[in-house]
Amino acid sequence: GAPNVSTATAVREQHGHDESMHPCAPPDVVVWPQAVGQVQELAALCHRCRVPMVPFGTGTGLEGGVNAVQGGVCFDLSRMDAIAELSLEDFSVTVEPGVTRKALNKHLRGTGLWFPVGTVGMRGV
């Protein structure tokens, strides 16, 4: 529905660039899935219709990876921000794709652990 889909120019332009030097290349539509099943359904639909899919996290990348150079559907994953499981014993955490480093560190506060910038290996649900 409307709160989870937008074709507004300003929203599309916001999702058509990151912090790189590349010019804005907005998608045709932005969607905000809130569950893995919704991502799967949207991806299957895009695949069947041969529509490009562009994942969007926070837009802070430096590579131009969110630029929708062929249009398509931007999957803004920011609303999928649950921290599913934390294992202090083996230093692992399972998160949804919208969890930011800052949110994870807030969750980890008081455990003696933190997730520093440049860490590899976040595992999503």
Side-chain angles (χ1 to χ4, degrees), residues 1 5 11 20 28 55 63 75-76 83 91 104:
V5 178
V11 173
S20 71
D28 299 310
E63 304 84 17
F75 289 58
D76 183 324
I83 297 173
F91 304 106
L104 179 56

Side-chain angles (χ1 to χ4, degrees), residues 7-78:
T7 57
T9 301
V11 173
R12 293 174 38 244
E13 287 177 354
Q14 174 192 0
H15 288 80
H17 66 89
D18 55 16
E19 298 295 323
S20 71
M21 60 163 189
H22 302 290
C24 181
D28 299 310
V29 62
V30 178
V31 297
W32 287 267
Q34 297 175 40
V36 172
Q38 291 176 336
V39 173
Q40 291 169 330
E41 289 179 38
L42 288 164
L45 178 63
C46 288
H47 178 73
R48 275 196 310 275
C49 297
R50 301 184 59 81
V51 173
M53 297 173 272
V54 180
F56 187 93
T58 58
T60 58
L62 300 174
E63 304 84 17
V66 300
N67 292 49
V69 294
Q70 296 179 339
V73 178
C74 174
F75 289 58
D76 183 324
L77 304 170
S78 62

